[in-house]
Amino acid sequence: MGKYLIGIDVGTTGTKAMILDKKGQIYGKGYGEYPCNYPSPNWVEQDVDLLVEETFKACKQAVTSSGLDPKEIEAVGFSCQRATFTLVDNNNQAIDNIFYGWQDNRGAEILEEAMALVDPDTFFRSTGMPMAPTFTFIKLLWLIKKRPELYEKAKYVAMMPEYIQYCFGADDFYCEVTNACTSGYLNPNTMDWADNIIDAFGFDKTKFPKLVKPVDIVGKVTPTTAEKTGLAVGTLLVAGSGDQQCAAIGAGVIEDGYASLTLGTAGLLVVGTKKSGLGRCSGGHGNFIGIIGIIQS
């Protein structure tokens, strides 16, 4: 068993990688950068290949700067931007090489149509989310209406973490439940897909990857990925969680009533509570449940 872990945070404009021992001491760091693209008003996209390449680079920088034997690194954990997704074809490649960014608001133009299909109160009770253009569901509905040929080609609707994990060596696409909370079609009370929402919007449930928990192992680093990242072949890949959940835990939101506030590209409030119910979609461990209130303007 290795002595070290590497965390990879795939953010909105850059990826950070950090190697630590199991007491939290830092041994290596890396960074890769990529832009957001704005092809039309309210559209925000990212180049999938570039983002993956820069993520590999950040990982390799961290490994190299640490001076450690890569075989001593036991596992990789991921923290990624949420609600961002791509469509994956039958060859497990991103269709048109596009990530549809969380801050993409193209779905605003069909929001009233969505509300006619699902009452906003029903939507909130079913998903813990408000009906807003930020979340995956409305962008996906837009693609079905405006670019149905792309949706028909899709084997999976893959949120960013599962695509990144697949590129690192995951044996399939796996959707981590606490990240899926921002999809708008996960039921936070059952931690399973919200079938009533999926049916109402006409989504094909077979296109959604299998759900897994944050601690689940989703694969191992492959020989090809090892060359690109500096990691050892066979290093474990752990699903991890959404970036805001990870940030909250890092800030100490691990007890009832504790909270953290992030003010960046978006503003998010994360509150820890022992009470179950609506909003527990950000997940947790044991009796801890994270609640996220979106305060983005």
Side-chain angles (χ1 to χ4, degrees):
M1 183 176 293
K3 299 177 182 178
Y4 306 97
L5 304 171
I6 181 167
I8 298 177
D9 174 46
V10 187
T12 302
T13 57
T15 292
K16 299 176 288 294
M18 186 178 295
I19 297 175
L20 308 95
D21 64 20
K22 296 178 183 180
K23 294 182 179 179
Q25 183 174 340
I26 298 170
Y27 286 81
K29 296 180 181 179
Y31 181 71
E33 194 167 77
Y34 35 83
C36 294
N37 304 317
Y38 307 91
S40 295
N42 290 324
W43 294 21
V44 185
E45 300 175 354
Q46 289 181 300
D47 182 311
V48 173
D49 290 344
L50 176 61
L51 188 146
V52 171
E53 178 184 337
E54 289 295 299
T55 298
F56 286 157
K57 182 181 83 173
C59 184
K60 194 162 193 176
Q61 284 180 358
V63 174
T64 301
S65 68
S66 73
L68 299 172
D69 180 347
K71 293 180 181 178
E72 289 293 294
I73 300 172
E74 182 179 353
V76 184
F78 296 89
S79 157
C80 296
Q81 52 175 295
R82 308 173 314 156
T84 298
F85 73 100
T86 186
L87 300 178
V88 176
D89 65 19
N90 286 325
N91 295 315
N92 291 338
Q93 298 297 309
I95 296 174
D96 289 346
N97 194 39
I98 292 173
F99 275 129
Y100 301 91
W102 63 267
Q103 70 273 56
D104 183 294
N105 281 323
R106 73 185 70 191
E109 66 181 75
I110 62 165
L111 196 55
E112 288 189 8
E113 294 179 52
M115 290 180 176
L117 295 172
V118 180
D119 176 76
D121 288 338
T122 300
F123 185 83
F124 178 74
R125 288 195 302 271
S126 300
T127 68
M129 291 285 121
M131 295 190 82
T134 304
F135 306 117
T136 308
F137 81 97
I138 194 67
K139 306 179 222 296
L140 182 58
L141 190 61
W142 186 96
L143 285 168
I144 291 173
K145 290 181 174 294
K146 305 293 185 179
R147 299 293 307 276
E149 73 282 3
L150 298 182
Y151 184 72
E152 288 301 317
K153 285 170 58 178
K155 172 185 175 182
Y156 288 130
V157 178
M159 301 183 81
M160 177 178 281
E162 53 240 49
Y163 192 87
I164 297 294
Q165 290 159 17
Y166 180 80
C167 291
F168 268 74
D171 55 23
D172 199 354
F173 288 80
Y174 297 98
C175 186
E176 189 275 312
V177 289
T178 71
N179 184 68
C181 76
T182 56
S183 67
Y185 41 83
L186 181 91
N187 185 319
N189 294 304
T190 64
M191 285 295 176
D192 202 350
W193 299 119
D195 288 337
N196 60 324
I197 302 301
I198 290 169
D199 293 343
F201 288 143
F203 296 156
D204 182 352
K205 190 177 176 181
T206 65
K207 295 181 185 288
F208 298 145
K210 178 183 177 181
L211 291 167
V212 296
K213 297 177 181 178
V215 296
D216 286 347
I217 295 169
V218 295
K220 298 180 180 180
V221 170
T222 63
T224 299
T225 302
E227 292 181 11
K228 296 177 180 178
T229 63
L231 295 167
V233 175
T235 304
L236 300 177
L237 303 172
V238 181
S241 187
D243 53 6
Q244 290 298 326
Q245 289 93 320
C246 291
I249 292 171
V253 185
I254 56 174
E255 294 184 23
D256 186 65
Y258 283 36
S260 67
L261 176 63
T262 300
L263 296 175
T265 309
L268 296 103
L269 177 67
V270 183
V271 181
T273 178
K274 292 181 179 179
K275 297 178 181 178
S276 62
L278 287 176
R280 77 174 198 174
C281 49
S282 64
H285 179 70
N287 290 325
F288 171 74
I289 299 170
I291 290 186
I292 289 190
I294 302 298
I295 58 174
Q296 179 183 7
S297 61

